[in-house]
Amino acid sequence: QVQLVESGGGLVQAGDSLRLSCVASGRIVSWYAMAWFRQAPGKEREFVAAIDPGDGSTTYADAVKGRFTISRESTKITKYLQMNNLEVEDTAGYYCAARWQDVSSDYREYRYWGQGTQVAVSS
């Protein structure tokens, strides 16, 4: 079992920045690929970013590339999503997810999920 707890969401203006955190606990969390997804009302959950548990390589959705950065602490327990130059279109619930070893951009391949944290961006 892996438990995930997100924090850091809030209401900001377009152009502002936020940093989301995801704290993982449970068995061998360092071996799990971690990702961030988001879901806006009435829309399907979409991939945002992921980080490989081994070499720390990162993957981003085109919509956030160059603005968002996923990272982790050296212990690999806490993952971050630094969101810069936020846009109104970034408004959504943001979810941290984990799956064994390999990263994926398909939310259906992730077994463990956090409760989510809300991000609202006003114009």
Side-chain angles (χ1 to χ4, degrees):
Q1 285 281 6
V2 175
Q3 294 79 41
L4 304 171
V5 179
E6 305 100 327
S7 62
L11 173 63
V12 296
Q13 292 188 325
D16 286 350
S17 298
L18 276 176
R19 188 177 78 161
L20 306 183
S21 299
C22 173
V23 178
S25 60
R27 298 185 62 184
I28 320 174
V29 293
S30 61
W31 292 3
Y32 281 76
M34 304 291 288
W36 287 94
F37 290 82
R38 66 186 182 185
Q39 188 167 19
K43 294 188 176 181
E44 190 172 343
R45 189 163 295 192
E46 65 173 359
F47 172 75
V48 176
I51 188 165
D52 184 273
D55 62 9
S57 59
T58 56
T59 307
Y60 297 94
D62 288 342
V64 306
K65 202 171 293 184
R67 299 188 297 122
F68 291 12
T69 302
I70 188 171
S71 62
R72 63 186 182 186
E73 287 185 323
S74 59
T75 61
K76 302 182 183 180
I77 293 175
T78 303
K79 308 300 189 295
Y80 302 101
L81 185 68
Q82 178 67 43
M83 306 186 295
N84 297 329
N85 194 21
L86 282 160
E87 303 172 353
V88 173
E89 293 74 21
D90 295 320
T91 296
Y94 282 72
Y95 299 86
C96 181
R99 70 186 300 266
W100 181 248
Q101 292 190 324
D102 297 328
V103 300
S104 171
S105 61
D106 187 343
Y107 71 89
R108 293 166 293 186
E109 296 186 356
Y110 285 81
R111 179 175 182 180
Y112 301 104
W113 292 86
Q115 82 287 353
T117 185
Q118 293 295 314
V119 172
V121 184
S122 64
S123 59

